[in-house]
DNA sequence: TGTACATCAGTGAACGCGCGTTCACTGATGTAC
DNA sequence: TGTACATCAGTGAACGCGCGTTCACTGATGTAC
């Protein structure tokens, strides 16, 4: 079934003391989360996977909620990294970069569906946690800045631009959630797409959130 | 804490036999779901709320998964009803009706957040269940027909129209999921809206999924 | 360099809990005659 | 209308399980002198 992660122990600390257990528990927790889903997540299984007794995590996380909260916070780091990765493949055009960021949003959900759900739809994290709140805020700021670049104004003081922010967010989020729930297959055309076609398809939909302003319009 | 639902027993069947227990369990299950969330949902609590012993549900649902699956299937009925309700308040314009349907989608999520999550994001339902699959298909068909009316073509054979379907779906779904995750409050403008303003705000965003085609465009 | 000692970070047994499911049972109901 | 009987739909005790958490313990590590 599950096996410890020997590589998580450096040769220097292979003995009684682990040395990097906090980090190892996060790694093991992430794997457990993706293998079993949030609904079957358990601290004991995480400890087993990390190769320690199930009492050990208490020295690093007060409760299972603490571990899940730390996982969610770290998840936002991966989430932003997935968006950065797509942006680096994009050109200089602000709209293209915004769409790329949205594709990274979806990539993350596909690669880490349970972590994505933990971050956006679980009641098992501590929403008052500072690190988690800051990580989530950083992700939101990223989107705000994309829209700011496209619209050349600050969404926080320009309601129409903030509407663009929420529209793009909702689209990327909705696509991501529907993809991992395996719902988009209902659209026959979706099933026959190559990866490149799918990216173009999603990018087109994401950009509907921030319509091009025409001269004839206000 | 929790109390039985005496009204679920008709005077004629108040004795040893319940008479409507299947129905009463679904009602109790829905309340339990919303009060405790999926993550803390338990068959024993549902039985207690329905006023029967915890062994009783086995006569109506093979397992807890069976009850959750039936709840999800019935949820799609409520989901479609929420959309119908909004449509009835809308005029004849196809775009207005499509937007209204999307608002009903969001209404449902707000009124039944845990049921919404059970339907769209849980691993605890039996996805092979016929009734559940048919209920979900009916909800999708509803959206397809809205787009069909707006575009005057069948999305199942017209890929651009199916792209409109998925775009509108993703927007309504994304808004719904972000609203119940309490994320939209990050946009300051959103917090100060009245219910009517919020509806108009969401309707505008939903309709971005199905852009008006101009004569100068293909 | 060697020793005493404090602290750290593990172990593993134990606790109590709620869970889904099973099952022998029994009261209530419906039907045949 | 009355009786015998089959079936239905409950009860409640029992099962085994995995869970999070606690705690006395101990081996490992680091530090003071």
């Amino acid at each position: 079934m599950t096996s410890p992660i020997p590589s998580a122990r450096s040769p220097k600390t292979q003995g009684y003391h682990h040395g990097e257990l906090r980090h190892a528990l996060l790694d093991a927790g992430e794997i457990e989360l993706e293998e079993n889903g949030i609904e079957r997540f358990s601290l004991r299984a995480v400890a087993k996977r990390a190769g320690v007794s199930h009492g050990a995590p208490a020295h690093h996380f007060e409760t299972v909620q603490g571990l899940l909260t730390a996982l969610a916070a770290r998840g936002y780091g991966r989430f932003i990294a997935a968006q950065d990765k797509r942006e680096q493949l994009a050109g200089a055009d602000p709209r293209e970069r915004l769409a790329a960021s949205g594709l990274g949003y979806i990539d993350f959900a596909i690669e880490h569906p349970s972590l994505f759900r933990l971050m956006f739809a679980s009641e098992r994290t501590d929403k008052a946690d500072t690190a988690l709140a800051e990580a989530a805020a950083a992700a939101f700021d990223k989107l705000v800045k994309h829209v700011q670049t496209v619209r050349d104004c600050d969404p926080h003081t320009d309601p129409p631009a903030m509407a663009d922010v929420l529209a793009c967010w909702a689209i990327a989020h909705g696509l991501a959630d529907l993809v991992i729930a395996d719902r988009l297959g209902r659209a026959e055309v979706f099933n026959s797409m190559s990866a490149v076609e799918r990216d173009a398809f999603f990018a087109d939909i994401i950009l509907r959130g921030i319509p091009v302003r025409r001269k004839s319009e206000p």
Side-chain angles (χ1 to χ4, degrees), chain A:
Chain A
M1 304 269 175
T2 63
S3 61
I5 307 173
S7 64
R9 304 184 180 199
S10 75
K12 210 177 179 183
T13 57
Q14 263 176 358
Y16 192 85
H17 283 188
H18 190 287
E20 291 281 1
L21 187 52
R22 187 188 155 89
H23 192 258
L25 287 170
L26 286 170
D27 287 347
E30 198 170 299
I31 296 169
E32 280 293 317
L33 198 58
E34 294 309 338
E35 283 194 359
N36 299 325
I38 308 172
E39 289 164 354
R40 286 183 205 163
F41 183 87
S42 103
L43 194 56
R44 290 171 100 106
V46 172
K48 189 178 179 185
R49 181 179 288 276
V52 294
S53 73
H54 63 260
H59 289 276
H60 300 273
F61 301 97
E62 273 199 5
T63 61
V64 64
Q65 186 187 241
L67 173 57
L68 286 169
T69 301
L71 275 173
R74 200 175 69 156
Y76 279 102
R78 299 196 189 291
F79 180 61
I80 288 171
Q83 293 176 55
D84 286 343
K85 194 175 166 191
R86 282 284 193 170
E87 285 169 32
Q88 281 158 21
L89 298 173
D93 176 59
R95 293 181 64 85
E96 185 188 342
R97 297 183 69 78
L98 168 56
S101 184
L103 292 178
Y105 195 115
I106 297 166
D107 288 343
F108 174 80
I110 293 171
E111 284 162 23
H112 309 281
S114 294
L115 185 53
F116 180 78
R117 290 262 162 79
L118 178 71
M119 290 155 56
F120 286 102
S122 177
E123 297 156 22
R124 297 182 68 183
T125 55
D126 176 11
K127 284 159 194 163
D129 182 79
T130 312
L132 178 57
E134 284 174 1
F140 182 70
D141 288 346
K142 187 174 180 64
L143 171 58
V144 169
K145 272 173 190 149
H146 274 297
V147 171
Q148 183 163 13
T149 305
V150 172
R151 290 295 192 220
D152 200 25
C153 70
D154 180 4
H156 285 294
T157 56
D158 184 272
M162 187 54 89
D164 294 336
V165 167
L166 296 191
C168 290
W169 190 10
I171 294 170
H173 187 80
L175 287 173
D177 201 54
L178 292 172
V179 167
I180 65 179
D182 204 20
R183 296 303 185 93
L184 296 193
R186 287 198 187 282
E188 303 79 4
V189 61
F190 183 76
N191 293 317
S192 56
M193 287 180 190
S194 68
V196 171
E197 287 168 338
R198 202 210 57 172
D199 285 352
F201 183 79
F202 282 164
D204 165 71
I205 291 178
I206 291 163
L207 290 176
R208 294 183 190 196
I210 184 162
V212 176
R213 285 189 185 145
R214 288 153 195 279
K215 288 170 189 169
S216 60
E217 293 174 20

